Coordinates of all heavy atoms in Angstrom, one line a residue:
M5 N 0.8 -1.2 0.0 CA 0.0 0.0 0.0 C 0.9 1.3 0.0 O 0.4 2.3 -0.5 CB -0.9 0.0 1.2 CG -2.1 -1.0 1.1 SD -3.1 -1.0 2.5 CE -3.6 0.6 2.7
R6 N 2.0 1.1 0.5 CA 2.9 2.3 0.6 C 3.5 2.6 -0.8 O 3.6 3.8 -1.2 CB 3.9 2.1 1.6 CG 4.9 3.3 1.8 CD 5.9 3.1 2.9 NE 5.2 3.2 4.1 CZ 5.5 2.5 5.2 NH1 6.4 1.6 5.2 NH2 4.8 2.6 6.3
H7 N 4.0 1.6 -1.5 CA 4.7 1.8 -2.7 C 4.1 1.3 -3.9 O 4.0 1.9 -4.9 CB 6.1 1.2 -2.6 CG 6.9 1.7 -1.4 ND1 7.4 2.9 -1.4 CD2 7.3 1.1 -0.2 CE1 8.1 3.1 -0.2 NE2 8.0 2.0 0.5
I8 N 3.6 0.0 -3.9 CA 3.1 -0.6 -5.1 C 1.8 -0.1 -5.5 O 1.6 0.2 -6.7 CB 3.0 -2.2 -4.8 CG1 4.5 -2.7 -4.6 CG2 2.4 -2.9 -6.0 CD1 4.5 -4.1 -4.2
E9 N 0.8 -0.1 -4.7 CA -0.6 0.4 -5.1 C -0.6 1.8 -5.7 O -1.2 2.0 -6.7 CB -1.6 0.3 -3.9 CG -2.1 -1.1 -3.6 CD -2.8 -1.7 -4.8 OE1 -3.8 -1.2 -5.2 OE2 -2.3 -2.8 -5.3
P10 N 0.0 2.8 -5.1 CA 0.0 4.1 -5.7 C 0.6 4.1 -7.1 O 0.1 4.8 -8.0 CB 0.8 5.0 -4.7 CG 0.6 4.3 -3.4 CD 0.6 2.9 -3.7
R11 N 1.7 3.3 -7.3 CA 2.3 3.3 -8.6 C 1.5 2.5 -9.6 O 1.3 2.8 -10.8 CB 3.7 2.7 -8.5 CG 4.7 3.7 -7.8 CD 6.1 3.1 -7.8 NE 6.9 4.1 -7.1 CZ 7.9 3.7 -6.3 NH1 8.1 2.4 -6.0 NH2 8.6 4.6 -5.7
R12 N 1.0 1.4 -9.1 CA 0.2 0.5 -10.0 C -1.1 1.2 -10.5 O -1.5 1.1 -11.7 CB -0.2 -0.8 -9.3 CG -0.9 -1.8 -10.1 CD -1.2 -3.1 -9.3 NE -2.3 -2.9 -8.4 CZ -3.6 -2.9 -8.7 NH1 -4.0 -3.2 -9.9 NH2 -4.5 -2.7 -7.7
L13 N -1.7 2.0 -9.6 CA -2.9 2.7 -9.9 C -2.7 4.1 -10.5 O -3.6 4.8 -10.9 CB -3.8 2.8 -8.7 CG -4.3 1.5 -8.1 CD1 -5.0 1.8 -6.8 CD2 -5.2 0.8 -9.0
R14 N -1.4 4.5 -10.6 CA -1.0 5.8 -11.1 C -1.8 6.9 -10.4 O -2.4 7.7 -11.0 CB -1.1 5.8 -12.6 CG -0.2 4.9 -13.3 CD -0.3 5.0 -14.8 NE 0.7 4.1 -15.3 CZ 0.4 3.3 -16.3 NH1 -0.7 3.3 -16.9 NH2 1.4 2.5 -16.8
L15 N -1.7 6.9 -9.1 CA -2.4 7.9 -8.3 C -1.7 9.2 -8.2 O -0.5 9.3 -8.2 CB -2.6 7.3 -6.9 CG -3.4 6.0 -6.7 CD1 -3.4 5.6 -5.3 CD2 -4.8 6.2 -7.3
A16 N -2.5 10.3 -8.1 CA -1.9 11.6 -7.9 C -1.4 11.6 -6.4 O -1.7 10.8 -5.6 CB -3.0 12.6 -8.1
D17 N -0.6 12.6 -6.2 CA 0.1 12.7 -4.8 C -0.9 12.8 -3.7 O -0.7 12.2 -2.7 CB 1.0 14.0 -4.8 CG 2.2 13.8 -5.6 OD1 2.6 12.6 -6.0 OD2 2.9 14.8 -6.0
V18 N -2.0 13.5 -3.9 CA -3.0 13.6 -2.9 C -3.7 12.3 -2.6 O -3.9 11.9 -1.4 CB -4.1 14.7 -3.3 CG1 -5.3 14.7 -2.3 CG2 -3.5 16.0 -3.5
Q19 N -4.0 11.5 -3.6 CA -4.5 10.2 -3.4 C -3.5 9.2 -2.8 O -3.9 8.4 -1.9 CB -5.0 9.6 -4.8 CG -6.2 10.4 -5.4 CD -6.5 10.0 -6.8 OE1 -5.6 9.7 -7.5 NE2 -7.7 10.0 -7.1
A20 N -2.3 9.3 -3.2 CA -1.2 8.4 -2.7 C -1.0 8.7 -1.2 O -0.7 7.8 -0.4 CB 0.1 8.6 -3.5
C21 N -1.3 9.9 -0.8 CA -1.1 10.3 0.6 C -2.1 9.6 1.5 O -1.8 9.2 2.6 CB -1.3 11.8 0.7 SG -1.0 12.4 2.4
R22 N -3.3 9.3 0.9 CA -4.3 8.5 1.7 C -3.8 7.1 2.0 O -4.0 6.6 3.1 CB -5.6 8.4 0.9 CG -6.3 9.7 0.8 CD -7.6 9.5 0.0 NE -8.3 10.8 -0.3 CZ -9.2 10.9 -1.1 NH1 -9.6 9.9 -1.8 NH2 -9.7 12.1 -1.4
Y23 N -3.2 6.5 1.0 CA -2.6 5.2 1.3 C -1.5 5.2 2.3 O -1.4 4.4 3.1 CB -2.1 4.6 -0.1 CG -3.2 4.1 -1.0 CD1 -3.9 4.9 -1.8 CD2 -3.5 2.7 -1.0 CE1 -4.9 4.5 -2.6 CE2 -4.5 2.2 -1.8 CZ -5.2 3.1 -2.6 OH -6.2 2.6 -3.4
Q24 N -0.6 6.3 2.2 CA 0.5 6.4 3.1 C -0.1 6.6 4.6 O 0.4 6.0 5.5 CB 1.3 7.6 2.8 CG 2.5 7.9 3.7 CD 3.5 6.8 3.6 OE1 3.7 6.2 2.6 NE2 4.2 6.6 4.7
Q25 N -1.1 7.4 4.7 CA -1.7 7.6 6.1 C -2.3 6.3 6.6 O -2.2 6.0 7.8 CB -2.8 8.6 6.0 CG -2.2 10.0 5.8 CD -3.3 11.1 5.5 OE1 -4.5 10.7 5.3 NE2 -2.9 12.3 5.6
A26 N -2.9 5.5 5.7 CA -3.5 4.2 6.1 C -2.4 3.3 6.6 O -2.5 2.6 7.6 CB -4.2 3.5 5.0
V27 N -1.2 3.2 5.9 CA -0.1 2.4 6.3 C 0.4 2.8 7.7 O 0.7 2.0 8.6 CB 1.0 2.4 5.3 CG1 2.3 1.7 5.8 CG2 0.6 1.8 4.0
E28 N 0.6 4.1 7.9 CA 1.0 4.6 9.2 C 0.1 4.3 10.3 O 0.5 3.9 11.4 CB 1.3 6.1 9.1 CG 2.5 6.5 8.2 CD 2.5 8.0 8.0 OE1 1.7 8.7 8.5 OE2 3.4 8.4 7.2
G29 N -1.2 4.3 10.0 CA -2.2 3.9 11.0 C -2.2 2.5 11.3 O -2.5 2.1 12.5
L30 N -1.8 1.6 10.4 CA -1.7 0.2 10.7 C -0.6 -0.1 11.6 O -0.7 -1.0 12.4 CB -1.5 -0.6 9.4 CG -2.7 -0.8 8.5 CD1 -2.2 -1.5 7.2 CD2 -3.7 -1.6 9.1
G31 N 0.5 0.7 11.6 CA 1.6 0.5 12.5 C 1.2 0.8 13.9 O 1.6 0.2 14.9
A32 N 0.3 1.9 14.1 CA -0.1 2.3 15.4 C -1.3 1.5 15.9 O -1.4 1.3 17.1 CB -0.5 3.8 15.3
N33 N -2.1 1.0 15.0 CA -3.3 0.3 15.4 C -3.5 -0.9 14.5 O -4.2 -0.8 13.5 CB -4.5 1.3 15.3 CG -5.8 0.7 15.8 OD1 -5.8 -0.3 16.5 ND2 -6.9 1.2 15.3
P34 N -3.0 -2.0 14.8 CA -3.1 -3.2 14.0 C -4.5 -3.7 13.9 O -5.2 -3.9 14.9 CB -2.2 -4.2 14.6 CG -1.7 -3.7 15.9 CD -2.1 -2.3 16.0
V35 N -5.1 -3.7 12.7 CA -6.5 -4.2 12.5 C -6.5 -5.3 11.4 O -5.4 -5.5 10.8 CB -7.4 -3.0 12.1 CG1 -7.6 -2.0 13.2 CG2 -6.9 -2.3 10.9
D36 N -7.6 -5.9 11.2 CA -7.7 -7.0 10.2 C -8.1 -6.5 8.9 O -7.9 -7.2 7.9 CB -8.7 -8.0 10.7 CG -8.2 -8.8 11.9 OD1 -7.0 -8.8 12.1 OD2 -9.0 -9.2 12.7
E37 N -8.6 -5.3 8.8 CA -9.0 -4.7 7.5 C -8.9 -3.2 7.6 O -9.1 -2.6 8.6 CB -10.3 -5.2 7.0 CG -11.5 -4.7 7.8 CD -12.9 -5.2 7.3 OE1 -12.9 -6.3 6.8 OE2 -13.8 -4.4 7.4
V38 N -8.8 -2.6 6.4 CA -8.7 -1.1 6.3 C -9.3 -0.7 5.0 O -9.2 -1.4 4.0 CB -7.2 -0.6 6.5 CG1 -6.4 -1.1 5.3 CG2 -7.2 0.9 6.6
I39 N -10.0 0.4 5.1 CA -10.7 1.0 3.8 C -9.9 2.2 3.5 O -9.8 3.1 4.3 CB -12.2 1.2 4.1 CG1 -12.9 -0.1 4.4 CG2 -12.8 1.9 2.8 CD1 -14.3 0.0 4.7
V40 N -9.4 2.3 2.2 CA -8.7 3.4 1.7 C -9.3 3.9 0.4 O -9.4 3.0 -0.5 CB -7.2 3.1 1.5 CG1 -6.5 4.3 1.1 CG2 -6.6 2.6 2.8
A41 N -9.8 5.1 0.3 CA -10.3 5.6 -0.9 C -11.4 4.7 -1.5 O -11.5 4.5 -2.7 CB -9.2 5.9 -1.9
G42 N -12.3 4.2 -0.6 CA -13.4 3.4 -1.0 C -13.0 1.9 -1.3 O -13.9 1.2 -1.6
R43 N -11.8 1.5 -1.1 CA -11.4 0.2 -1.4 C -11.1 -0.5 0.0 O -10.4 0.1 0.8 CB -10.1 0.1 -2.2 CG -10.4 0.6 -3.6 CD -9.1 0.5 -4.5 NE -8.7 -0.9 -4.6 CZ -7.5 -1.3 -4.9 NH1 -6.6 -0.4 -5.2 NH2 -7.2 -2.6 -5.0
R44 N -11.6 -1.7 0.1 CA -11.3 -2.5 1.4 C -10.2 -3.4 1.2 O -10.1 -4.2 0.2 CB -12.6 -3.3 1.7 CG -12.4 -4.0 3.1 CD -13.7 -4.6 3.5 NE -13.6 -6.0 3.1 CZ -14.4 -6.9 3.5 NH1 -15.4 -6.6 4.3 NH2 -14.3 -8.2 3.1
F45 N -9.2 -3.4 2.1 CA -8.0 -4.3 2.1 C -8.1 -5.1 3.4 O -8.3 -4.6 4.5 CB -6.7 -3.4 2.1 CG -6.5 -2.6 0.9 CD1 -7.0 -1.3 0.8 CD2 -5.8 -3.2 -0.2 CE1 -6.8 -0.6 -0.3 CE2 -5.6 -2.4 -1.3 CZ -6.1 -1.1 -1.4
R46 N -7.9 -6.4 3.2 CA -7.8 -7.3 4.3 C -6.3 -7.6 4.6 O -5.5 -7.8 3.7 CB -8.5 -8.7 4.0 CG -10.0 -8.4 3.8 CD -10.7 -9.7 3.6 NE -10.8 -10.3 4.9 CZ -11.1 -11.5 5.1 NH1 -11.4 -12.3 4.1 NH2 -11.2 -12.0 6.3
V47 N -6.0 -7.5 5.9 CA -4.6 -7.6 6.4 C -4.3 -9.0 6.8 O -5.1 -9.6 7.5 CB -4.3 -6.6 7.5 CG1 -2.9 -6.8 8.0 CG2 -4.7 -5.2 7.1
T48 N -3.2 -9.6 6.3 CA -2.8 -10.9 6.6 C -1.4 -10.8 7.3 O -0.5 -10.1 6.7 CB -2.7 -11.8 5.4 OG1 -3.9 -11.8 4.7 CG2 -2.2 -13.2 5.7
R49 N -1.2 -11.4 8.4 CA 0.1 -11.4 9.1 C 0.6 -12.8 9.1 O -0.1 -13.8 9.3 CB -0.1 -10.9 10.5 CG -0.5 -9.4 10.6 CD -0.9 -9.0 12.0 NE -1.3 -7.7 12.0 CZ -2.6 -7.3 11.7 NH1 -3.5 -8.2 11.4 NH2 -2.9 -6.0 11.7
I50 N 1.9 -12.9 8.9 CA 2.6 -14.2 8.8 C 3.7 -14.1 9.9 O 4.5 -13.2 10.0 CB 3.2 -14.4 7.5 CG1 2.1 -14.5 6.4 CG2 4.0 -15.7 7.5 CD1 2.6 -14.5 5.0
E51 N 3.7 -15.1 10.7 CA 4.8 -15.2 11.8 C 5.5 -16.6 11.6 O 4.9 -17.6 11.2 CB 4.1 -15.2 13.2 CG 3.5 -13.9 13.4 CD 2.9 -13.8 14.8 OE1 3.1 -14.7 15.6 OE2 2.1 -12.9 15.1
T52 N 6.8 -16.5 11.9 CA 7.6 -17.7 11.8 C 8.0 -18.1 13.2 O 8.5 -17.3 14.0 CB 8.8 -17.5 10.9 OG1 8.4 -17.1 9.6 CG2 9.7 -18.8 10.8
L53 N 7.9 -19.4 13.5 CA 8.3 -19.9 14.8 C 9.4 -20.9 14.7 O 9.2 -21.8 13.8 CB 7.1 -20.5 15.5 CG 7.3 -21.1 16.9 CD1 7.7 -20.1 17.9 CD2 6.1 -21.9 17.3
L54 N 10.4 -20.8 15.4 CA 11.5 -21.8 15.4 C 11.8 -22.2 16.8 O 12.1 -21.3 17.6 CB 12.7 -21.2 14.7 CG 14.0 -22.1 14.7 CD1 13.7 -23.3 13.8 CD2 15.2 -21.3 14.1
R55 N 11.7 -23.4 17.1 CA 12.0 -23.9 18.5 C 13.4 -24.3 18.5 O 13.9 -25.0 17.6 CB 11.1 -25.0 18.8 CG 9.6 -24.6 19.0 CD 8.9 -25.6 19.9 NE 8.0 -26.4 19.1 CZ 7.2 -27.3 19.6 NH1 7.3 -27.6 20.9 NH2 6.4 -28.0 18.8
L56 N 14.1 -23.9 19.6 CA 15.5 -24.3 19.8 C 15.6 -25.1 21.1 O 14.9 -24.9 22.1 CB 16.3 -23.0 19.9 CG 16.4 -22.1 18.7 CD1 17.1 -20.8 19.1 CD2 17.1 -22.8 17.6
S57 N 16.6 -26.0 21.0 CA 16.9 -26.8 22.2 C 18.5 -26.9 22.3 O 19.2 -26.3 21.5 CB 16.4 -28.2 22.1 OG 17.1 -29.0 21.1
R58 N 19.0 -27.6 23.3 CA 20.4 -27.7 23.4 C 21.0 -28.4 22.2 O 22.2 -28.2 21.8 CB 20.8 -28.5 24.7 CG 20.5 -27.7 25.9 CD 21.0 -28.4 27.1 NE 20.7 -27.6 28.3 CZ 20.3 -28.1 29.5 NH1 20.3 -29.4 29.7 NH2 20.1 -27.2 30.5
A59 N 20.3 -29.2 21.5 CA 20.7 -29.9 20.4 C 20.7 -29.1 19.1 O 21.1 -29.5 18.0 CB 19.9 -31.2 20.2
G60 N 20.1 -27.9 19.2 CA 19.9 -27.0 18.0 C 18.5 -26.8 17.6 O 17.6 -27.1 18.4
P61 N 18.3 -26.3 16.5 CA 16.9 -26.0 16.1 C 16.1 -27.3 15.8 O 16.7 -28.4 15.4 CB 17.0 -25.2 14.8 CG 18.4 -25.5 14.3 CD 19.2 -25.9 15.5
E62 N 14.8 -27.3 16.1 CA 13.9 -28.4 15.8 C 13.8 -28.7 14.3 O 13.7 -27.7 13.5 CB 12.6 -28.1 16.4 CG 11.6 -29.2 16.3 CD 10.2 -28.8 16.9 OE1 9.7 -27.7 16.5 OE2 9.7 -29.6 17.7
G63 N 13.9 -29.9 14.0 CA 13.8 -30.3 12.5 C 12.4 -30.1 12.0 O 11.4 -29.8 12.8
P64 N 12.2 -30.3 10.7 CA 10.8 -30.2 10.2 C 9.9 -31.2 10.7 O 10.3 -32.4 10.9 CB 11.0 -30.3 8.7 CG 12.4 -30.9 8.5 CD 13.2 -30.6 9.7
G65 N 8.7 -30.8 11.1 CA 7.7 -31.7 11.6 C 6.7 -32.1 10.6 O 6.8 -31.7 9.4
R66 N 5.7 -32.8 11.0 CA 4.7 -33.2 10.1 C 3.8 -32.0 9.7 O 3.6 -31.1 10.6 CB 3.8 -34.3 10.6 CG 3.1 -34.0 11.9 CD 2.3 -35.2 12.4 NE 1.6 -34.8 13.6 CZ 0.3 -34.3 13.6 NH1 -0.3 -34.1 12.5 NH2 -0.2 -34.0 14.8
R67 N 3.3 -32.0 8.6 CA 2.4 -30.9 8.1 C 1.0 -31.1 8.7 O 0.5 -32.2 8.7 CB 2.4 -30.8 6.6 CG 3.7 -30.3 6.0 CD 3.5 -30.0 4.6 NE 2.5 -29.0 4.4 CZ 2.7 -27.7 4.1 NH1 4.0 -27.3 3.9 NH2 1.8 -26.8 3.9
I68 N 0.5 -30.0 9.3 CA -0.9 -30.1 9.8 C -1.8 -29.4 8.8 O -1.6 -28.2 8.5 CB -0.9 -29.4 11.2 CG1 0.0 -30.1 12.2 CG2 -2.4 -29.4 11.7 CD1 0.2 -29.4 13.5
P69 N -2.7 -30.1 8.3 CA -3.6 -29.5 7.3 C -4.5 -28.4 7.9 O -4.9 -28.5 9.0 CB -4.5 -30.7 6.7 CG -4.4 -31.7 7.8 CD -3.1 -31.5 8.5
I70 N -4.7 -27.4 7.1 CA -5.6 -26.3 7.6 C -7.0 -26.7 7.4 O -7.4 -27.1 6.3 CB -5.3 -25.0 6.8 CG1 -3.8 -24.6 7.0 CG2 -6.2 -23.9 7.2 CD1 -3.3 -23.4 6.2
Q71 N -7.8 -26.6 8.4 CA -9.2 -27.1 8.4 C -10.1 -26.1 7.7 O -11.1 -26.5 7.2 CB -9.6 -27.4 9.8 CG -8.8 -28.4 10.5 CD -8.9 -29.8 9.8 OE1 -9.9 -30.2 9.3 NE2 -7.7 -30.5 9.8
S72 N -9.9 -24.8 7.8 CA -10.8 -23.9 7.3 C -10.3 -23.3 5.9 O -9.1 -23.2 5.7 CB -11.0 -22.7 8.2 OG -9.8 -22.0 8.4
K73 N -11.2 -23.1 5.0 CA -10.8 -22.6 3.7 C -10.9 -21.1 3.8 O -11.6 -20.5 4.6 CB -11.8 -23.0 2.7 CG -11.8 -24.5 2.4 CD -12.7 -24.9 1.3 CE -12.7 -26.4 1.0 NZ -13.6 -26.8 0.0
P74 N -10.1 -20.4 3.0 CA -10.2 -18.9 2.9 C -11.5 -18.5 2.4 O -12.2 -19.2 1.7 CB -9.0 -18.5 2.0 CG -8.7 -19.7 1.2 CD -9.1 -20.9 2.1
P75 N -12.0 -17.3 2.7 CA -13.3 -16.8 2.2 C -13.2 -16.7 0.7 O -12.2 -16.3 0.1 CB -13.5 -15.4 2.9 CG -12.1 -15.0 3.3 CD -11.3 -16.3 3.6
A76 N -14.3 -17.0 0.1 CA -14.4 -16.9 -1.4 C -14.5 -15.5 -1.8 O -15.0 -14.6 -1.1 CB -15.7 -17.7 -1.9
Y77 N -14.0 -15.2 -3.0 CA -14.1 -13.9 -3.6 C -15.5 -13.3 -3.6 O -15.7 -12.2 -3.4 CB -13.5 -13.9 -5.0 CG -13.6 -12.6 -5.7 CD1 -12.8 -11.5 -5.4 CD2 -14.5 -12.5 -6.8 CE1 -12.9 -10.3 -6.0 CE2 -14.6 -11.3 -7.4 CZ -13.8 -10.2 -7.1 OH -13.9 -9.0 -7.7
E78 N -16.4 -14.2 -3.9 CA -17.8 -13.7 -4.0 C -18.4 -13.2 -2.7 O -19.3 -12.4 -2.7 CB -18.7 -14.9 -4.4 CG -18.5 -15.3 -5.9 CD -17.3 -16.2 -6.0 OE1 -16.9 -16.9 -5.1 OE2 -16.7 -16.2 -7.1
D79 N -17.8 -13.6 -1.6 CA -18.2 -13.1 -0.3 C -18.0 -11.6 -0.1 O -18.6 -10.9 0.7 CB -17.5 -13.8 0.9 CG -17.8 -15.2 1.0 OD1 -18.8 -15.6 0.4 OD2 -17.0 -16.0 1.6
F80 N -17.1 -11.0 -0.9 CA -16.7 -9.6 -0.7 C -17.2 -8.7 -1.9 O -17.1 -7.5 -1.8 CB -15.2 -9.4 -0.7 CG -14.6 -10.2 0.4 CD1 -13.9 -11.4 0.2 CD2 -14.8 -9.8 1.7 CE1 -13.4 -12.1 1.3 CE2 -14.3 -10.5 2.8 CZ -13.6 -11.7 2.6
R81 N -17.8 -9.2 -2.9 CA -18.2 -8.4 -4.1 C -19.4 -7.6 -3.8 O -19.5 -6.5 -4.3 CB -18.5 -9.3 -5.3 CG -17.2 -9.9 -5.8 CD -17.4 -10.6 -7.1 NE -18.7 -10.7 -7.6 CZ -19.1 -11.6 -8.5 NH1 -18.3 -12.4 -9.0 NH2 -20.4 -11.7 -8.8
H82 N -20.2 -8.0 -2.9 CA -21.5 -7.3 -2.7 C -21.6 -6.5 -1.4 O -22.6 -6.0 -1.0 CB -22.7 -8.3 -2.8 CG -22.7 -9.1 -4.0 ND1 -23.0 -8.5 -5.2 CD2 -22.4 -10.3 -4.3 CE1 -22.9 -9.4 -6.2 NE2 -22.5 -10.5 -5.6
E83 N -20.4 -6.3 -0.8 CA -20.5 -5.5 0.5 C -20.3 -4.0 0.2 O -19.8 -3.6 -0.7 CB -19.3 -6.0 1.4 CG -19.6 -7.3 1.9 CD -18.5 -7.8 2.9 OE1 -17.7 -7.0 3.3 OE2 -18.5 -9.0 3.2

């Protein structure tokens, strides 16, 4: 939102400033979604966890399947 969207959309400086303000707001107030210039953005956070022991880092474990599916695109078109 800070760099790519304003360039991709070829926004004027005033419009790009709205995106910049939204990014700064996300740093101060982490939320799951933000609306900028009439567009809704959903925020996804990714965290990496590495367990360490005296023997070193834990090796790769078995994959745990994700039980829930992501929301369908159609869920957001009519909001």
